């Protein structure tokens, strides 16, 4: 989606935004393909067998160590005595598991501080489920993890044995509870293990450090930053929101000759008075320190951006990951506050699709009411200038922006697309516009869109309406689910009206 903005008075365009949530992995060389094929047959079965055997052994050790302890007891006091010794043995078993998985070379730089000197370990960048290896090397500190991980088969017991601090993202009070528990442990006189936190809150591709969540920094106690690197020629470990799935990554990692990991302990960071009273300042300063050690930039991406991407992918929007960059640029331009795009759609539908929606950069700047010399606006325009022609389809821009803010499901997205691609706002769209609308919402090929259009427009009028399209999809098994929730909501609303009429003494339904 990159290209140059061809305008007479343009300024140099800034570099592309880094997208830390995308990872591309392909076996591009013949050597890699042959090696992977041979290792899949000759090595993979033995590695999987050894890993499963060691995983079962670790699970048994965790079950023994947790025997007789309730969840409440695990949260109230640290384990001691033979339980802590068993935990140390379990960590050795897990290290052996990674060894059989191909992680032969693990380099450790620096020295891990004691819990007394640094109650909290801030580990970044977080890029893979293989980050469990540094957790093992650190002696199984208490991790901050999603509450759902405690119910995972096998791994749930292992995680519970670290006496984790669980975060329940669906609980509106979870954030306060988590912060309180971290503070209590970090300031307790009891011999709690160190609390390990991945402050980014989600996996990235390690191209930058995204915004640190401030939870680890609220206690205001010294923190030891820990940097992770995977200096492998073929990156088979990175697990992001857009890229290879977990099983593919596992397969490719286990079919490598070996994999490398580096863990670097930075000096303990002791906050000053300003940082103690401002967790965000504390988090940003630690992030800059770690970014400098890693040799990567910092970025303002957050976990909320992941949720945005997840919504875009769930709704089948093309270039879902690119929408995050669009939103970031819109925020910098102040467009998220003014809702200019929504006003354009509501007030001037007839000017949106003139000449097929193609507009120049100057017209783009005029419609958004931003000076054409703005470099950020130029970068935003360039993301949609796919062919480097100096023009974009303004409808594509509006659809990507408005779907994220206004649509809650595919049905809403389709209705919005029909409105945006409706030339002149007459409530009907022609075949070329139907093809574009269905491509950008259902990723439907042009041939299929043409077939659908002709079946709906059996009279040869040259256009269809959204209601006609909706009725057509309801009759098709492969698409009927799209409007199922909406049909249920309409039925529920109708029933509500009947109940209201009954309560008011009117026994006839609205339909009657």
């Amino acid at each position: 989606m990159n290209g140059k903005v061809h305008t007479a008075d343009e300024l140099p365009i800034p570099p592309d935004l880094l997208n830390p949530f995308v990872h591309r992995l392909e076996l591009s060389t013949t050597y890699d393909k042959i090696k992977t094929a041979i290792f899949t047959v000759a090595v993979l079965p033995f590695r999987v067998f050894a890993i499963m055997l060691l995983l079962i052994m670790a699970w048994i050790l965790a079950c023994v160590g947790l025997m007789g302890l309730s969840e409440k007891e695990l949260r109230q006091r640290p384990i001691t005595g033979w339980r802590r010794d068993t935990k140390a043995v379990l960590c050795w078993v897990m290290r052996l598991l990674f060894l059989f998985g191909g992680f032969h070379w693990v380099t450790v730089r620096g020295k891990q501080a004691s819990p007394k000197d640094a109650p909290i370990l801030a580990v970044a960048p977080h890029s893979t489920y293989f980050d469990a290896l540094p957790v093992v090397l650190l002696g199984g500190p208490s991790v901050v993890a999603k509450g759902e991980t405690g119910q995972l088969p096998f791994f749930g017991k292992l995680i519970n044995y670290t006496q984790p601090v669980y975060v329940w993202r669906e609980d509106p009070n979870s954030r306060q509870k988590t912060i309180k528990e971290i503070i209590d442990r970090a300031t307790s006189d009891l011999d709690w293990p160190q609390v390990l936190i991945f402050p980014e809150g989600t996996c990235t591709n390690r191209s930058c450090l995204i915004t640190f969540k401030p939870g680890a920094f609220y206690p205001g106690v010294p923190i030891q930053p820990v940097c992770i690197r995977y200096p492998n020629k073929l990156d088979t470990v990175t697990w992001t929101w857009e890229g290879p799935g977990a099983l593919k990554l596992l397969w490719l990692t286990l079919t490598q000759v070996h994999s490398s990991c580096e863990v670097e302990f930075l000096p303990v960071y002791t906050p000053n008075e300003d940082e103690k009273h401002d967790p965000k300042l504390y988090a940003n300063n630690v992030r800059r320190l770690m970014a400098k050690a890693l040799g990567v930039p910092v970025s303002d991406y957050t976990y909320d951006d992941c949720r945005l991407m997840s919504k875009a992918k769930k709704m089948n929007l093309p270039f879902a990951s690119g929408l995050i960059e669009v939103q970031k640029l819109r925020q910098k331009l102040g467009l998220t506050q003014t809702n200019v795009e929504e006003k354009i759609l509501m007030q001037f539908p007839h000017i949106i699709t003139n000449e097929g929606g193609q507009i120049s950069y100057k017209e783009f700047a005029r419609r958004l009411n931003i000076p054409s010399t703005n470099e950020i606006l130029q970068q935003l325009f360039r993301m949609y200038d796919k062919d480097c022609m100096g023009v974009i389809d303004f409808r594509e821009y509006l659809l990507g922006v408005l779907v994220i803010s206004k649509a809650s499901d595919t049905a809403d997205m389709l209705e919005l697309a029909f409105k945006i691609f409706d030339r002149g706002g007459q409530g009907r769209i022609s075949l070329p516009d139907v093809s574009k609308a269905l491509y950008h919402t259902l990723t439907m090929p042009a041939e299929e869109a043409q077939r659908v259009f002709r079946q709906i427009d059996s009279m040869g009028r040259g256009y269809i309406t959204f209601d006609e399209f909706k009725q057509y999809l309801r009759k098709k098994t492969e698409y009927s689910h799209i409007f199922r929730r909406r049909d249920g909501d309409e039925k529920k609303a109708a029933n509500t009206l009947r109940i209201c009429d009954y309560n008011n003494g009117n026994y006839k339904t609205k339909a009657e």
Side-chain angles (χ1 to χ4, degrees):
M1 298 198 302
N2 298 325
K4 187 177 181 181
V5 181
H6 298 277
T7 58
D9 55 349
E10 67 178 352
L11 294 176
I13 296 176
D16 289 336
L17 285 173
L18 290 171
N19 190 333
F21 305 122
V22 176
H23 177 51
R24 308 298 181 197
L25 174 60
E26 297 295 338
L27 299 177
S28 56
T29 67
T30 304
Y31 168 75
D32 285 331
K33 294 176 182 178
I34 294 175
K35 179 195 67 178
T36 300
I38 293 175
F39 270 58
T40 298
V41 176
V43 177
L44 182 61
F46 297 101
R47 282 185 169 176
V48 170
F49 176 78
I51 289 172
M52 292 303 298
L53 191 64
L54 290 166
L55 187 58
I56 293 172
M57 188 182 302
W59 178 78
I60 292 173
L61 286 171
C63 289
V64 172
L66 292 172
M67 186 170 55
L69 285 178
S70 65
E71 182 179 345
K72 183 178 180 180
E73 289 174 322
L74 276 174
R75 298 174 71 96
Q76 286 181 338
R77 61 178 182 273
I79 58 175
T80 57
W82 66 269
R83 296 184 193 273
R84 180 166 290 192
D85 294 337
T86 304
K87 179 180 173 182
V89 175
L90 186 150
C91 287
W92 278 106
V93 172
M94 290 298 295
R95 176 64 188 98
L96 194 61
L97 182 152
F98 279 98
L99 185 65
F100 276 98
F103 284 89
H104 304 154
W105 297 346
V106 179
T107 305
V108 178
R109 297 191 177 94
K111 184 179 180 181
Q112 182 178 358
S114 68
K116 182 179 179 180
D117 294 330
I120 297 176
L121 300 170
V123 184
H126 184 28
S127 62
T128 173
Y129 49 78
F130 289 108
D131 284 342
L133 174 56
V135 176
V136 170
L137 292 174
L138 295 174
S142 297
V143 296
V144 176
K146 293 185 295 183
E148 296 82 1
T149 57
Q151 279 73 49
L152 291 174
F154 288 104
F155 295 104
K157 285 287 185 183
L158 301 177
I159 295 172
N160 283 334
Y161 205 8
T162 69
Q163 298 187 279
V165 177
Y166 280 133
V167 180
W168 300 95
R169 286 174 173 162
E170 303 303 321
D171 180 3
N173 299 317
S174 180
R175 181 172 176 269
Q176 287 74 22
K177 294 176 182 176
T178 301
I179 292 172
K180 182 179 183 303
E181 189 166 353
I182 293 173
I183 292 175
D184 289 344
R185 292 199 188 187
T187 58
S188 174
D189 293 331
L190 298 176
D191 190 19
W192 283 102
Q194 288 171 299
V195 176
L196 182 147
I197 297 179
F198 293 100
E200 291 174 297
T202 190
C203 289
T204 69
N205 58 19
R206 300 190 300 280
S207 61
C208 60
L209 288 185
I210 66 173
T211 301
F212 280 10
K213 299 172 77 69
F217 306 91
Y218 272 100
V221 297
I223 284 178
Q224 182 168 35
V226 183
C227 299
I228 306 176
R229 302 179 183 87
Y230 292 93
N232 300 301
K233 183 178 180 182
L234 184 65
D235 184 1
T236 63
V237 302
T238 299
W239 187 32
T240 56
W241 288 74
E242 184 172 315
L247 289 178
K248 181 177 180 180
L249 292 175
L250 182 62
W251 163 54
L252 291 175
T253 301
L254 294 181
T255 52
Q256 300 301 304
V257 177
H258 61 80
S259 299
S260 300
C261 176
E262 294 180 1
V263 179
E264 181 180 4
F265 294 98
L266 299 182
V268 173
Y269 190 103
T270 302
N272 57 35
E273 289 303 316
D274 289 337
E275 291 168 333
K276 288 179 181 179
H277 293 94
D278 188 346
K280 291 185 178 180
L281 173 65
Y282 190 4
N284 286 333
N285 289 343
V286 172
R287 182 174 63 141
R288 291 193 191 95
L289 178 70
M290 297 181 73
K292 183 177 180 181
L294 290 162
V296 299
V298 297
S299 170
D300 291 334
Y301 286 104
T302 66
Y303 174 75
D304 289 335
D305 295 323
C306 289
R307 291 194 293 183
L308 171 65
M309 182 188 294
S310 179
K311 179 180 178 180
K313 292 182 72 175
K314 184 178 180 180
M315 299 178 73
N316 207 28
L317 277 175
F319 312 117
S321 60
L323 290 179
I324 294 180
E325 301 175 38
V326 170
Q327 291 294 84
K328 286 294 178 186
L329 293 173
R330 290 183 65 246
Q331 288 174 5
K332 291 180 179 179
L333 291 167
L335 295 174
T336 54
Q337 289 78 29
T338 58
N339 295 320
V340 170
E341 297 90 353
E342 188 171 344
K343 294 175 182 176
I344 290 174
L345 181 63
M346 293 176 60
Q347 299 175 9
F348 309 106
H350 60 283
I351 69 168
I352 294 175
T353 54
N354 287 345
E355 301 179 1
Q358 301 295 314
I359 63 173
S360 66
Y361 172 68
K362 286 186 177 180
E363 178 65 13
F364 181 69
R366 186 184 69 79
R367 292 190 181 186
L368 296 183
N369 197 27
I370 295 176
S372 61
T373 54
N374 189 299
E375 294 186 10
I376 298 176
L377 184 68
Q378 292 177 24
Q379 190 169 356
L380 179 61
F381 184 88
R382 180 172 60 166
M383 293 188 66
Y384 288 89
D385 186 13
K386 307 178 187 69
D387 300 322
C388 307
M389 298 297 293
V391 293
I392 66 169
D393 189 334
F394 193 54
R395 297 170 298 181
E396 293 182 8
Y397 169 77
L398 285 177
L399 182 64
V401 170
L402 295 178
V403 158
I404 292 300
S405 61
K406 294 178 66 65
S408 60
D409 56 20
T410 306
D412 290 342
M413 180 171 64
L414 283 168
E415 186 172 2
L416 183 61
F418 266 67
K419 186 173 183 179
I420 289 175
F421 284 89
D422 173 10
R423 300 192 184 210
Q426 298 178 5
R428 60 193 190 188
I429 61 177
S430 60
L431 175 57
D433 295 324
V434 168
S435 296
K436 285 190 175 183
L438 296 185
Y439 171 75
H440 288 296
T441 52
L442 300 178
T443 59
M444 185 180 291
E447 298 79 10
E448 176 69 8
Q450 291 172 11
R451 184 183 66 80
V452 169
F453 182 89
R454 293 192 182 98
Q455 289 182 2
I456 299 174
D457 184 27
S458 57
M459 303 297 291
R461 299 169 301 176
Y463 66 83
I464 64 174
T465 68
F466 178 71
D467 287 336
E468 292 170 341
F469 176 73
K470 183 167 60 174
Q471 292 301 323
Y472 172 84
L473 287 195
R474 281 174 171 156
K475 298 175 183 178
K476 297 295 180 180
T477 305
E478 63 270 34
Y479 298 118
S480 60
H481 68 281
I482 292 176
F483 293 98
R484 191 171 297 153
R485 184 187 70 83
R486 176 171 291 186
D487 292 342
D489 290 345
E490 290 174 355
K491 184 177 180 181
K492 183 178 179 181
N495 289 336
T496 301
L497 286 174
R498 293 188 181 96
I499 293 172
C500 290
D501 285 343
Y502 182 86
N503 290 336
N504 292 326
N506 180 8
Y507 303 111
K508 291 184 179 182
T509 64
K510 290 294 181 182
E512 295 171 328

